[in-house]
């Protein structure tokens, strides 16, 4: 059973839940993006993914990338599939028309990448970093760099990498040592080693554009001393630059994507943005890249769900308890989909997929609003949403991709543990999404320590109030969600106060806090789905997942809330005890 | 960093927490098993595991088992290691002296297998099924079969399999079709196909003893028509029996253990036990085999923890929040062990390892009490404990092995996702333990539907009261545990009542109920650890894990309790509504 995109699911969320067509039409570049155009694009994308991308997934895992003499060979069929991807204009879907792009909304690009990741995570890694590099050069590159690199990146003729990590500097980019020395001709000589570079070397495109975090001479220690250099594999005159792939990693999964150890041997490069502002230049692409990873998570979970659902609809084992299900007929054993333990897994993971999609597509819409809305306040609100919600989605969707895919594997029992159905590959592939683009723990710290606490929860409260206002307190479900949103606002204050007494506290509760925000967001999303103008078939398909969400997913909210609250109270108590001691 | 057994951890639990030496000395076969003997056996086992078993683990995964022309070649070094295992007398550790065994307590065997699994899960699979086969033949085999097979199984000269699953009959053994036709000479002709047979074929021993679930002619349909046959690879006259391995599976992990598709081609076998009582004969080995799998889970989690702990004690990234840790010295960045998110993972997984060990070792002690205590009531109590606690440990410890190992992998970030540290192998290997020997969902159904509800919770209540009586209500922690035990007793009644109204209900809450029981058992174990007579060093090593258990593990109890309670109330409400409707 192979993954197949189901555009009708996206259409329901875009139209009935998010009212995307009318929101997009209100933005200048998208005045003619109507439902028909959306459906046409998604229909073509679904066909491309199903026919070209999906069939290469298993061999991509089994054969993997090969390394020899500094060169990387991608798995069978990958060159042709990537060529078809470029020829179909898919990399340029949301790129600006002035760079040769099609100028379509980000949300359509998001859906295409969700499907691509579900079908073939390894292949999708190749163009996955393109868009961040494009945005980074577009915002921070010199005119010369833009002219030389933007069109080829927009079209996907060339691919790109982000070279951040060094062996001793993983999450701690301030420790980066790669150095870049300015030359008389305005170029840089870049020297150093980088690890974990996805697509650092491959045979898909003739040139690879590396964005390299580095340090200029006399730069201060720490993150403020970092600059960003563009270092191409092929120099403008066609010569090979001194950029070398030393080896590729043997990994748990994602074998179809080469994870490279790179060496820059006095390679030629050019500064992007200002000296010492390398992190700022990289952060431009952060929200888009993290949302991209969240979408990978959603896609992978959906792919696992499709396999588990298909298996559960054909495998018969024992009689299900309770009244005879219609599917029994004259069979001695029932479909395992009728067994409560299996039903629970399927409905719960479906609840995650649909709820997370609603939030991720809304975020993609907000990226367009932030870029194109005529109203500055609307742009600001959209940016605020993206800043706060993106780390939440990155962490929670990738966590669920791995854990939910493992649950789906369980539906297949021993048949899930062997290669046959391809579901164990999803579990292995998905695991890395919890690590790259900032580990999930770093997302939680980003959320609480950088987004929520610095303004004493003001931006977070604004997002929560916005969510509240989109609900209808007369509906029972909505009122419950509103109560949770209010709890979250209050909890922000509690954490801020406790953090004054103990600076470790917010780091200790950051993961719980992120989960709380995600659960509240999911509850909001399911309230919106419940309230949507759905056809009877659309409604019926979501009754089980909606109930599963309330019964089995949402109770984690109270648990996490209690954990955070007790941690804060513990601080308050020990602080009070400390003060009492000082006074006595 | 390679896994190393730490016998002092076991000694603390056996002596200070469980008072094992004096309990064992009260049993006739173990009157001379004192602390010194225990420590000697464990010391030798630890050395054997560290020197012989651990070093083969990575190559076992990478090379795996090879299949060609019906034969299976195990990974490099496995033959020699298994030979050393047999020569060291390890398979015979707890076997009866009359069969050539050493007659030592089961708990020592349990610890040896926990270490073996931690060091090399694949190799440990080979002798893992030996003990169940030994017990099965010892209890149900004819004198002729006993004479022919027991000594060789006790010593490990021959290995064994359990042939249950067929392609169409996974968890549903009632669907088994393999047939066995009695012959004039008292033997059986066995014909059929089996899948997922661990160690169905290999090069470790000259003979392999297959225990095959099959159906005699005219046997009724369903589980009551099942019989058990002993089918050796090599017949008593030395001829090769018609048992064939058709292929081995490609799996997510556990590559060093061959998972075989077997064909019985009118093979010669002999009945074990009575016709139609095949499942009963197999169930004899069930508690021991499931405890064995729980110990695999504990071992794998401990191995992952050791790697994560070692990494966190050497890797420096960023400054930790709060006061400068002693380990900072003059370094710019702190050890990641000082970062709250990493500390939480390490302490939480440690809490699982130590708590689960306490429970698993107690279960192993109870197996010996059930077999050897002079007092019939003590034997009955011990059997009750094993019946109820074994499925809980099997499911919860294997669940934690996979999920906790994944958490430990996260400590290493990208370095965890690549092969280098060996932690991704643990995650892949551990995943299967949630499936085999009865999926974890089947364990939950076994617990609630077969062990708790049939006697209206009487046996479960007795276990909970026994646990309560071992606590000291004057201690705050203990009082909290007693409260939870009481909640569980009451919940059993609630579920039983709701199950009357809706037979699907217990199936829907079975997983939650099992988790609740495990959390209460862990809370009890940690209360016992807290109350143990520990040295300051033993105490200090457990302060963090004890706090982690209370802060981050135990809150799941309230969450699950709420889920089950609401499910029962929902049934009660809809039942009441139904009655009202009927009356109106």
């Amino acid at each position: 059973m192979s993954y197949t995109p189901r555009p009708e699911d996206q259409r329901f969320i875009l139209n009935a839940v998010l009212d995307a067509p009318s929101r997009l039409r209100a933005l200048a570049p998208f005045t003619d993006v109507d439902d028909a155009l959306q459906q046409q694009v998604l229909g073509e994308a679904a066909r491309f993914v199903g026919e070209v991308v999906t069939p290469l997934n298993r061999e991509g895992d089994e054969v993997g990338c090969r390394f020899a003499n500094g060169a990387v060979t991608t798995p069978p069929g990958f060159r042709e599939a990537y060529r078809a991807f470029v020829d179909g204009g898919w990399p340029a879907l949301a790129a600006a028309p002035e760079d040769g792009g099609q100028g379509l909304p980000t949300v359509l690009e998001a859906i295409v990448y969700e499907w691509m990741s579900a079908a073939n995570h390894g292949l999708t890694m190749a163009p996955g970093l393109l868009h961040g590099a494009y945005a980074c050069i577009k915002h921070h590159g010199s005119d010369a760099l833009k002219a030389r690199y933007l069109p080829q990146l927009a079209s996907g003729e060339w691919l790109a990498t982000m070279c951040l990590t060094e062996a001793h500097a993983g999450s701690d980019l301030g420790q980066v040592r790669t150095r870049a020395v300015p030359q008389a001709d305005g170029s840089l000589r870049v020297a150093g080693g980088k690890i974990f570079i996805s697509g650092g070397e491959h045979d898909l495109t003739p040139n690879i554009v590396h964005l390299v975090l580095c340090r200029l001479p006399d730069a201060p220690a720490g993150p403020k001393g970092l600059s960003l250099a563009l270092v191409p594999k092929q120099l403008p005159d066609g010569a090979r630059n001194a950029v070398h792939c030393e080896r590729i990693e043997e990994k748990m999964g994602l074998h179809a994507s080469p994870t490279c150890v790179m060496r820059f041997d006095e390679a030629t490069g050019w500064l992007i943005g200002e000296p010492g502002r390398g992190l700022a230049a990289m952060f431009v692409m952060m929200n888009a890249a993290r949302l991209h990873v969240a979408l990978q998570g959603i896609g992978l979970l959906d792919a696992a769900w499709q396999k588990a659902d298909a298996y559960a609809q054909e495998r018969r084992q024992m009689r299900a308890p309770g009244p005879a299900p219609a599917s029994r007929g004259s069979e001695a054993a029932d479909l395992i989909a009728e067994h409560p333990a299996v039903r629970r897994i399927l409905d719960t993971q479906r609840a995650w997929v649909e709820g997370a999609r609603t939030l991720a597509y809304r975020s993609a819409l907000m990226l367009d609003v932030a870029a194109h809305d005529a109203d500055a306040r609307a742009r600001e609100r959209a940016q605020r949403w993206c800043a706060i919600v993106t780390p939440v989605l990155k962490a929670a969707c990738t966590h669920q991709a791995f854990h939910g895919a493992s649950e789906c594997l369980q539906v297949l029992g021993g048949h899930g543990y062997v290669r046959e159905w391809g579901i164990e590959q999803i579990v292995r592939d998905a695991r890395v999404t919890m690590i790259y683009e900032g580990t999930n723990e770093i997302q939680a710290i980003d959320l609480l320590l950088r987004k929520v606490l610095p303004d004493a929860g003001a931006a977070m409260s604004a997002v929560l109030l916005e969510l509240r206002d989109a609900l209808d307190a007369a509906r029972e479900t909505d009122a419950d969600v509103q109560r949770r949103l209010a709890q979250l606002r209050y909890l922000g204050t509690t954490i801020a106060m406790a953090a004054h007494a103990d600076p470790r506290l917010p780091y200790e509760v950051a993961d719980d806090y992120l989960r709380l925000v995600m659960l509240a967001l999911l509850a909001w999303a399911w309230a919106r789905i419940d309230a949507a103008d759905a056809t009877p078939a659309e409604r019926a398909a979501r009754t089980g997942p909606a109930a599963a969400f309330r019964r089995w997913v949402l109770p984690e909210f109270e648990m996490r809330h209690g954990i955070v609250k007790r941690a804060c109270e513990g601080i308050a108590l020990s602080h009070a005890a400390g003060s009492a001691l000082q006074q006595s």
Side-chain angles (χ1 to χ4, degrees), chain A:
Chain A
M1 188 275 145
S2 292
Y3 173 75
T4 313
R6 298 177 181 173
E8 63 277 17
D9 286 351
Q10 270 71 26
R11 188 180 193 185
F12 172 72
I13 293 177
L14 288 182
N15 294 6
V17 181
L18 293 176
D19 196 19
S22 70
R23 278 167 176 257
L24 286 170
R25 272 199 305 275
L27 304 176
F30 308 127
T31 45
D32 54 356
V33 179
D34 58 5
D35 176 58
L37 177 59
Q38 277 186 39
Q39 293 317 309
Q40 192 203 334
V41 170
L42 292 180
E44 280 172 30
R47 202 163 39 245
F48 176 77
V49 168
E51 290 173 6
V52 178
V53 182
T54 296
L56 303 176
N57 190 42
R58 180 157 171 186
E59 204 175 358
D61 178 57
E62 291 182 352
V63 176
C65 288
R66 303 292 172 89
F67 176 80
N69 305 317
V72 172
T73 309
T74 54
F78 272 42
R79 282 172 63 102
E80 295 74 14
Y82 183 70
R83 190 65 243 170
F85 185 66
V86 170
D87 290 344
W90 296 111
L93 197 70
E98 66 264 27
D99 302 317
Q102 300 185 44
L104 285 166
T106 304
V107 70
L108 295 184
E109 182 183 88
I111 292 169
V112 172
Y113 274 109
E114 181 202 310
W115 287 344
M116 294 270 296
S117 304
N120 192 327
H121 186 184
L123 176 61
T124 309
M125 290 297 288
L129 290 169
L130 211 48
H131 308 281
Y134 169 80
C136 180
I137 297 169
K138 195 169 175 72
H139 283 83
H140 294 281
S142 66
D143 287 343
L145 287 181
K146 284 188 204 174
R148 208 183 293 148
Y149 293 100
L150 278 188
Q152 283 85 345
L153 291 176
S155 67
E157 288 292 334
W158 296 348
L159 283 167
T161 75
M162 282 168 65
C163 295
L164 284 68
T165 307
E166 300 183 3
H168 61 288
S171 301
D172 190 357
L173 294 175
Q175 293 191 46
V176 157
R177 287 183 200 141
T178 295
R179 60 191 162 74
V181 181
Q183 307 295 304
D185 65 357
S187 70
L188 300 168
R189 285 286 167 280
V190 180
K194 296 282 181 180
I195 64 168
F196 299 152
I197 307 307
S198 293
E201 179 57 50
H202 55 70
D203 56 2
L204 298 179
T205 54
N207 201 0
I208 302 172
V209 179
H210 303 286
L211 302 191
V212 185
L213 214 53
C214 54
R215 218 173 266 285
L216 293 171
D218 308 321
K224 286 179 183 155
L226 294 172
S227 299
L228 191 63
L230 185 157
V231 182
K233 173 180 173 182
Q234 196 182 69
L235 290 168
D237 64 3
R240 184 74 159 76
N241 202 355
V243 183
H244 307 286
C245 174
E246 297 196 311
R247 62 179 172 86
I248 61 175
E249 303 284 355
E250 294 182 78
K251 308 189 295 291
M252 182 181 188
L254 208 59
H255 298 150
S257 171
T259 305
C260 303
V261 176
M262 301 299 291
R263 197 179 75 247
F264 296 86
D265 240 359
E266 309 290 338
T268 300
W270 294 271
L271 197 64
I272 300 179
E274 293 168 39
R277 301 277 299 155
L279 283 183
M282 285 233 134
F283 281 167
V284 141
M285 55 177 116
M286 203 66 99
N287 280 335
R290 288 182 174 178
L291 179 60
H292 179 85
V293 177
L295 288 158
Q296 289 177 345
I298 296 171
L300 289 164
L301 181 58
D302 189 39
W305 183 89
Q306 281 195 10
K307 287 176 196 290
D309 183 60
Y311 186 83
Q313 301 291 348
E314 72 171 52
R315 175 81 167 174
R316 289 181 182 274
Q317 293 280 281
M318 298 176 277
R319 282 278 170 102
S327 63
R328 182 174 297 167
S330 58
E331 301 277 353
D334 284 318
L335 293 175
I336 61 170
E338 306 287 357
H339 286 276
V342 171
R343 192 70 259 153
R344 175 169 174 166
I345 291 173
L346 293 175
D347 285 345
T348 301
Q349 301 318 317
R350 198 73 218 145
W352 271 95
V353 169
E354 301 247 346
R357 268 183 183 158
T358 301
L359 299 166
Y361 298 169
R362 185 174 205 271
S363 290
L365 286 171
M366 289 301 117
L367 285 174
D368 281 332
V369 170
H372 301 299
D373 203 291
D375 177 4
R377 284 191 329 207
R379 292 200 301 274
E380 202 181 301
R381 276 200 304 274
Q383 265 156 0
R384 193 174 60 202
W385 168 277
C386 291
I388 285 182
V389 172
T390 308
V392 178
L393 291 180
K394 192 279 176 185
C397 296
T398 59
H399 183 274
Q400 197 61 29
F402 175 71
H403 292 87
S406 168
E407 291 281 294
C408 290
L409 185 156
Q410 191 74 4
V411 169
L412 283 77
H415 295 278
Y417 194 68
V418 300
R419 291 236 181 112
E420 191 186 354
W421 276 73
I423 202 162
E424 62 86 28
Q425 181 192 344
I426 299 177
V427 176
R428 287 185 290 106
D429 288 355
R431 185 61 184 81
V432 74
T433 62
M434 295 167 66
I435 297 169
Y436 63 30
E437 199 64 53
T439 68
N440 286 358
E441 290 71 22
I442 289 196
Q443 304 296 326
I445 290 170
D446 178 55
L447 172 69
L448 184 55
L449 277 291
R450 293 195 206 118
K451 306 284 174 66
V452 174
L453 292 181
D455 69 359
M460 180 51 134
S461 277
V463 167
L464 296 172
L465 289 172
E466 208 179 304
L467 291 169
R468 185 194 68 180
D469 293 345
L471 296 169
D472 174 2
R475 294 171 59 96
E476 196 185 329
T477 315
D478 288 27
D480 177 75
V481 181
Q482 289 189 339
R483 185 178 58 75
R484 290 172 201 274
L485 296 172
Q487 271 183 296
L488 263 188
R489 285 174 59 207
Y490 188 77
L491 191 67
T493 312
T494 311
I495 295 173
M497 284 167 58
H500 270 292
D502 181 356
R504 279 179 71 89
L505 183 274
Y507 290 86
E508 284 178 352
V509 301
D511 289 316
D512 300 295
Y513 182 77
L514 184 144
R515 290 292 292 184
L516 277 166
V517 176
M518 184 62 181
L519 291 164
L521 286 170
L522 280 175
W524 179 85
W526 271 102
R528 301 298 300 153
I529 294 171
D530 281 346
D533 185 17
T535 65
E538 285 169 346
R539 177 74 57 219
R542 285 159 184 89
T543 308
F549 177 75
R550 283 191 298 272
R551 289 182 72 175
W552 300 310
V553 180
L554 199 50
E556 189 189 330
F557 187 93
E558 274 73 36
M559 182 183 87
R560 299 276 179 181
H561 191 266
I563 288 174
V564 176
K565 213 156 146 276
R566 280 189 298 274
C568 293
E569 287 164 0
I571 297 303
L573 280 175
S574 68
H575 193 59
S579 305
L581 214 63
Q582 283 186 324
Q583 282 166 13
S584 71

